[in-house]
């Protein structure tokens, strides 16, 4: 095999190399295997494919545009910056891609309730939207800290008719919301579907969410070639759990000329304990039914993590990202809270595009890197979400 020829990801047991799997009790493994079998069968059905494709086009507004950020490129003085505009999707982020897939899957499987966690609230809003469309009850667990920080998304979830469950235990953030949602799911896993919000958790969820999100990269690859006649030199996306990133990266993995960069939150600094740089500073471990890189303490327990972006403060990461790091195919970098805020304001004021704080991490890396490259080179950024949800927080943070 050449450098970028990959074995199937994941394998039949749900592993990406040594990462992934189903590190769960036997009775739950049987449920996960049933979901995997149903997914593989249902995804091949023409009716499912047609319904999802129609919803992507007519409901989400796909394909999302590929935009040449000429003013930002000129300001930075180097590589040409292009933006994949997932922020223009219905509900304002990439999350709607896999939420529609999961809600449709739940309908085809005859499930009676969909349960999920959310951090910044984008997954919660998208899933509540998809469940309203499909007609399935929806229950979202969200950390109390994030509820207070992301009030606009909390309001939207309530309006859309989902049951919102505040989570106050632990750090009251994303990891604790996952724990809480999983407890509820275990009450009736036969009739409930846990719609995991990223490429994490036990098999088959990292595979399923990746598959639904891969439309991002498929579109971007075709759009970039149509617009420029070639492939981008760099592609980049923020990484928390990693769904928007794997959605962009998948279509480019075999392209040796394309350098792929995931950007994690350095928070208040990698030399502090206030960051979420799992792939940068973590080690292989176990969390939420999978093996992946984990930020853990000396006892192996997941650490409290921090990011200015609520959707990125997770002490684990998708197993496929862990595998791609080990292979050296993807380079994982970081951006601090301060760099993120600067990128947020710069893209807003130079291009009139307000990005999510999550996406601003990728913008920050591109702003740092573009001046080192030539104008003939290019960087494609996945703007995974819009920043409406973050504006009040940013204004208070910067004293505007």
């Amino acid at each position: 095999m050449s450098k970028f020829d990959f074995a199937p990801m994941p394998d039949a047991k749900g592993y990406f190399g040594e990462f992934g799997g189903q590190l769960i009790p036997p009775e739950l493994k049987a449920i996960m295997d049933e979901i995997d079998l149903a997914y593989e069968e249902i995804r091949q059905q023409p009716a499912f494919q047609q319904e999802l494709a129609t919803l992507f086009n007519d409901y989400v507004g796909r394909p999302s545009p590929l935009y040449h950020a000429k003013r930002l490129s000129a300001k930075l003085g180097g590589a040409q910056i292009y933006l994949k505009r997932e922020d223009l999707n219905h509900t304002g982020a990439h999350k709607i891609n896999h939420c529609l897939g999961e809600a449709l899957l739940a309908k085809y499987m005859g499930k009676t309730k969909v349960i999920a966690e959310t951090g910044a609230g984008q997954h919660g809003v998208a899933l509540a939207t998809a469940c309203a469309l499909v007609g399935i009850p929806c229950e979202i667990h969200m950390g109390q800290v994030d509820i207070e920080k992301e009030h606009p998304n909390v309001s939207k979830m309530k309006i859309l008719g989902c049951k919102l469950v505040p989570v106050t235990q632990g750090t009251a953030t994303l990891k604790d919301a996952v724990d809480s949602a999983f407890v509820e799911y275990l009450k009736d896993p036969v009739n409930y579907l846990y719609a995991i919000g990223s490429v994490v958790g036990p098999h088959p969820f990292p595979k399923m969410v990746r598959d639904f999100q891969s439309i991002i990269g498929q579109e971007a690859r075709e759009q970039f070639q149509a617009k420029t006649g070639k492939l981008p030199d760099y592609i980049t996306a923020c990484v928390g759990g990693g769904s928007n990133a794997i959605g962009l990266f998948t279509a480019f993995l075999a392209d040796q000329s394309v350098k792929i960069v995931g950007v994690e939150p350095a928070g208040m600094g990698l030399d502090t304990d206030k960051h979420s740089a799992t792939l940068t500073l973590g080690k292989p471990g176990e969390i939420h039914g999978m093996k992946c890189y984990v930020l853990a303490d000396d006892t192996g327990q997941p650490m409290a993590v921090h990011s200015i972006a609520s959707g990125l403060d997770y002490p684990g990461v998708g197993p496929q990202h862990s595998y791609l790091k080990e292979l050296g195919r993807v380079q994982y970098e970081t951006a601090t809270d301060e760099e993120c805020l600067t990128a947020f304001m710069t893209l807003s004021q130079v291009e009139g595009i307000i990005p999510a704080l999550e996406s601003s991490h990728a913008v920050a890396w591109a702003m740092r890197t573009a001046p080192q490259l030539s104008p003939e080179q290019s960087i494609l950024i996945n703007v995974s979400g819009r920043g409406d949800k973050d504006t009040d927080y940013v204004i208070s943070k910067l004293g505007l």
Side-chain angles (χ1 to χ4, degrees), residues 35-278:
I35 293 172
D36 187 30
L37 286 171
Y39 168 68
E40 291 296 341
E41 177 187 338
I42 291 168
R43 70 191 290 249
Q44 303 296 333
Q45 295 178 8
F48 180 86
Q49 293 177 349
Q50 184 59 51
E51 188 170 2
L52 185 59
T54 299
L55 289 172
F56 275 164
N57 293 337
D58 300 343
Y59 190 73
V60 178
R62 305 208 69 90
S64 62
L66 182 78
Y67 172 69
H68 184 189
K70 294 179 181 178
R71 279 178 43 80
L72 181 61
S73 302
K75 177 181 175 66
L76 296 173
Q80 298 303 302
I81 305 293
Y82 291 81
L83 310 176
K84 180 60 172 164
R85 298 291 309 277
E86 291 297 291
D87 57 308
L88 294 179
N89 293 341
H90 179 45
T91 71
H94 71 290
K95 295 289 188 181
I96 191 67
N97 299 329
H98 72 255
C99 286
L100 277 177
E102 289 177 323
L104 274 184
L105 181 65
K107 183 182 84 168
Y108 275 70
M109 292 180 70
K111 300 292 185 179
T112 60
K113 183 165 78 169
V114 176
I115 299 168
E117 83 297 331
T118 194
Q122 287 301 131
H123 175 62
V125 169
L127 191 65
T129 299
C131 287
L133 175 67
V134 170
I136 292 180
C138 176
E139 179 173 313
I140 305 292
H141 294 240
M142 188 174 188
Q144 186 63 42
V145 169
D146 295 330
I147 287 175
E148 293 167 7
K149 187 176 174 183
E150 305 289 358
H151 181 70
N153 278 343
V154 172
S155 298
K156 289 176 187 175
M157 283 184 271
K158 291 178 178 178
I159 289 169
L160 288 162
C162 86
K163 178 182 178 182
L164 184 68
V165 179
V167 179
T168 57
Q169 72 251 30
T171 59
T173 56
L174 182 56
K175 185 262 178 189
D176 308 288
V178 175
D179 292 342
S180 175
F182 211 66
V183 168
E184 177 64 21
Y185 170 65
L186 290 177
K187 292 178 181 177
D188 191 359
V190 173
N191 292 305
Y192 298 167
L193 180 72
Y194 189 169
I196 291 179
S198 191
V199 284
V200 297
H203 176 66
F205 286 98
K207 172 184 70 173
M208 283 171 43
V209 174
R210 176 203 62 195
D211 291 351
F212 291 132
Q213 289 294 348
S214 65
I215 193 170
I216 300 172
Q218 292 166 14
E219 288 178 2
R221 195 175 188 280
E222 183 177 320
Q223 290 169 321
F224 201 93
Q225 287 179 302
K227 195 177 287 284
T228 69
K230 57 184 180 180
L231 292 172
D233 294 291
Y234 291 84
I235 63 172
T236 187
C238 65
V239 177
S243 60
N244 93 91
I246 216 70
L248 177 66
F249 296 171
T250 297
F252 295 91
L253 288 175
D255 296 309
Q256 299 197 35
S257 65
V258 180
K259 298 178 179 66
I260 305 178
V261 180
V263 186
E264 297 190 297
M268 297 182 185
L270 296 179
D271 56 345
T272 73
D273 60 355
K274 302 292 185 182
H275 64 79
S276 300
T278 306

